[in-house]
Amino acid sequence: MTDTLQQTDLDWAKSWLAQDKKQYIDGEWVAGADKDWAVKNPATGEVLCKIALADTDQIETAAARANECHQSGVWNRKTTRKARADYLIAIARLIRDNAKQLALLESLANGKTYLEALNDDIYTCAEIFEYYAGWTDKFYGEVSPVDEGFLNFTSKDPVGVCALIAPWNYPLYQASLKIAPALAMGNTVVMKPSEYTPLATLYLFELIDRKMDLPKGLLNLVLCDGATANQLTLSANVHKVSFTGSTGVGRHIVQNSGQSNLKAVTLELGGKSPCIFFDDTKDLDAAIERAFYVMFSQKGEKCSEPTRFLIQKGIYDEVLEKLIAKAEAVICGDPLLADTQQGAQCNEAQFKRILDYIEIGKSEAELVAGGHADTTGDNAKGLFVRPTIFSNVPETARIAQEEIFGPVLACAPFDTAEDALRMANGTSYGLAAGIYTADVSLAHKMADRLDAGMVFVNRYGCYGLAAPFGGFKQSGWGKEMAIHSLSSYTRTKCTWIHYGE
């Protein structure tokens, strides 16, 4: 255990996990009506708890109660914006006050290290609620220039009931990125966490229910699998879906929107992001250190990670040698131990998917590091994969084209900037891209032509709540974070007033 994680924390988690886990619908805790689901610890294989999942009727009930709350106006018209902000700040305070417990639950269910969960995820969740609390009274409409005798202005109305579907890789962080702006703009919420990692989100809802007095139906939590959650994307009581996950599921949600009530859709989907190293990179060691960290932290289960390193030929061998050394030195193991650098993959299906792609890669390119499960000692009980690196990966290789979502890096050399640009843009994804070069002019030219929603120059992975997050092409629709996310949680109303000649 780490210095900050004590036996009393583990005892608390064991006690909490032994309690019944229920759905939170219309301000009440109700037992799920569907099959039981076992939430497992991917580092040990043990069952953490069992949850009776919600069925489609309960999903629809949650959406209907959220819609009744929305129609009543109790949150968007009868609660002042200042009061709304105070509620969001109170939720942030709950997260800070219970950060250790939330991080522990996140680590146990996801397999990421406790320190990653605490420092990278949970504290940021509190910052998200604080950030959007500041927007409740600052998202303005406009006065339009129209003919004399008329006044035209726009206002921002809540969109209504927001179905928020979060993934298993950053469970509470992704939930917070959706809940906070939805509430800030006056909407009601039906939250659906991943069935693999619902624990931290469930505990936060328990804290909110216990410590705060929110309107009934404003916040709802449904614990179900993906097939049952399909009802949220079809329900006429839902007016918006925000989904983070695979491109395939994203397409299905768009189809369901068209088949139902044309609900608004925000999609944060897959990625196959390149990181380009030019020969003139300053402080090459620092560049390698940063890019390696962003690629392999959180077990490589990140949509925006740089899964392709495109390296100019003059430095290719040097960069590859240093990457291999770093990969071989990574300590995989118990996520609760202080010296563990890489935890377990989140679930068995993803673990097998990663290993399958590694086998595909062995037939396409040169394996230079990793390439297998880590079964050393107690790791044999869990879902551990060694950091894996392939060299001289062809542009058309599957491991260069398809999202693996794990600790698997594809490296390839290039000659010219045009070659790098073609290779970088040569996938169906366009989430992020990185450039390392001392040539400012080249950096601008590359950034301008890279077909990616986010471009990082000389430091891969720069994130901040005031900057939009999202991609192009099949990496999704819309943006998370910043002012840009707020538009997707509102409707623009145009009002004309005729006041005479």
Side-chain angles (χ1 to χ4, degrees), residues 421-442:
L421 190 67
R422 183 195 69 249
M423 296 163 70
N425 289 340
T427 75
S428 61
Y429 297 105
L431 185 51
I435 307 163
Y436 281 95
T437 178
D439 187 334
V440 175
S441 178
L442 176 62

Side-chain angles (χ1 to χ4, degrees), residues 302-363:
K302 306 188 296 296
C303 57
S304 61
E305 66 188 358
T307 54
R308 296 181 293 147
F309 282 13
L310 310 179
I311 308 162
Q312 202 158 23
K313 286 185 175 179
I315 58 172
Y316 186 82
D317 290 341
E318 178 184 0
V319 172
L320 191 65
E321 181 181 351
K322 291 178 177 178
L323 289 171
I324 293 170
K326 288 183 176 298
E328 292 177 344
V330 168
I331 300 172
C332 293
D334 185 344
L336 303 185
L337 294 178
D339 59 353
T340 297
Q341 296 169 300
Q342 182 178 308
Q345 308 307 139
C346 181
N347 56 71
E348 189 170 358
Q350 186 61 22
F351 175 71
K352 291 179 178 178
R353 173 185 171 89
I354 294 166
L355 293 180
D356 286 345
Y357 266 108
I358 287 174
E359 292 306 308
I360 291 169
K362 290 176 181 177
S363 68

Side-chain angles (χ1 to χ4, degrees), residues 59-252:
I59 298 292
E60 190 57 41
T61 297
R65 297 297 177 267
N67 196 22
E68 290 172 8
C69 181
H70 166 64
Q71 297 294 339
S72 74
V74 66
W75 181 249
N76 57 41
R77 289 194 301 273
K78 299 175 184 177
T79 302
T80 67
R81 288 174 173 79
K82 172 64 166 57
R84 210 185 296 163
D86 289 343
Y87 278 119
L88 293 179
I89 291 171
I91 294 174
R93 189 176 301 113
L94 287 176
I95 294 172
R96 291 191 188 280
D97 291 346
N98 297 272
K100 184 182 292 187
Q101 292 87 348
L102 291 165
L104 178 55
L105 295 177
E106 205 85 309
S107 177
L108 288 172
N110 173 274
K112 66 177 66 183
T113 70
Y114 168 73
L115 292 179
E116 284 177 327
L118 183 67
N119 298 321
D120 295 348
D121 299 6
I122 302 304
Y123 286 130
T124 306
C125 294
E127 294 172 2
I128 290 168
F129 280 93
E130 290 163 346
Y131 176 81
Y132 281 106
W135 275 110
T136 58
D137 59 356
K138 299 178 183 67
F139 197 53
Y140 294 95
E142 300 171 320
V143 175
S144 309
V146 294
D147 292 341
E148 185 177 353
F150 295 91
L151 171 66
N152 177 269
F153 61 90
T154 64
S155 56
K156 300 292 187 179
D157 289 358
V159 70
V161 178
C162 299
L164 310 178
I165 305 174
W168 45 255
N169 61 330
Y170 285 84
L172 189 58
Y173 173 82
Q174 287 288 346
S176 300
L177 276 181
K178 300 175 189 301
I179 295 172
L183 293 182
M185 294 296 99
N187 299 284
T188 59
V189 164
V190 180
M191 182 73 229
K192 190 275 176 192
S194 168
E195 63 270 33
Y196 291 105
T197 56
L199 302 183
T201 305
L202 176 59
Y203 184 55
L204 177 60
F205 269 68
E206 288 184 5
L207 291 170
I208 291 171
D209 180 57
R210 193 159 65 236
K211 302 287 188 178
M212 299 174 63
D213 184 21
L214 289 172
K216 286 185 128 186
L218 175 64
L219 278 175
N220 302 271
L221 178 70
V222 290
L223 309 172
C224 64
D225 59 21
T228 307
N230 190 60
Q231 180 63 29
L232 282 173
T233 67
L234 288 169
S235 174
N237 283 305
V238 172
H239 309 105
K240 173 192 168 58
V241 173
S242 176
F243 169 77
T244 299
S246 72
T247 299
V249 174
R251 289 195 189 97
H252 184 68

Side-chain angles (χ1 to χ4, degrees), residues 304 430-434 452-456 460 462-463 468-472 479 481:
S304 61
L431 185 51
M454 299 176 289
V455 178
F456 310 113
Y460 195 102
C462 306
Y463 306 109
F469 183 101
F472 297 162
K479 300 293 184 182
M481 301 196 294

Side-chain angles (χ1 to χ4, degrees), residues 261-339:
N261 58 343
L262 285 177
K263 53 180 63 68
V265 175
T266 298
L267 303 172
E268 205 278 279
L269 307 176
K272 196 68 184 177
S273 301
C275 187
I276 304 168
F277 298 83
F278 285 96
D279 285 345
D280 65 348
T281 298
K282 286 185 176 180
D283 198 349
L284 185 59
D285 286 344
I288 294 170
E289 177 72 26
R290 174 63 185 177
F292 182 90
Y293 169 77
V294 179
M295 166 61 215
F296 287 104
S297 62
Q298 304 267 352
K299 310 156 301 172
E301 292 174 343
K302 306 188 296 296
C303 57
S304 61
E305 66 188 358
T307 54
R308 296 181 293 147
F309 282 13
L310 310 179
I311 308 162
Q312 202 158 23
K313 286 185 175 179
I315 58 172
Y316 186 82
D317 290 341
E318 178 184 0
V319 172
L320 191 65
E321 181 181 351
K322 291 178 177 178
L323 289 171
I324 293 170
K326 288 183 176 298
E328 292 177 344
V330 168
I331 300 172
C332 293
D334 185 344
L336 303 185
L337 294 178
D339 59 353

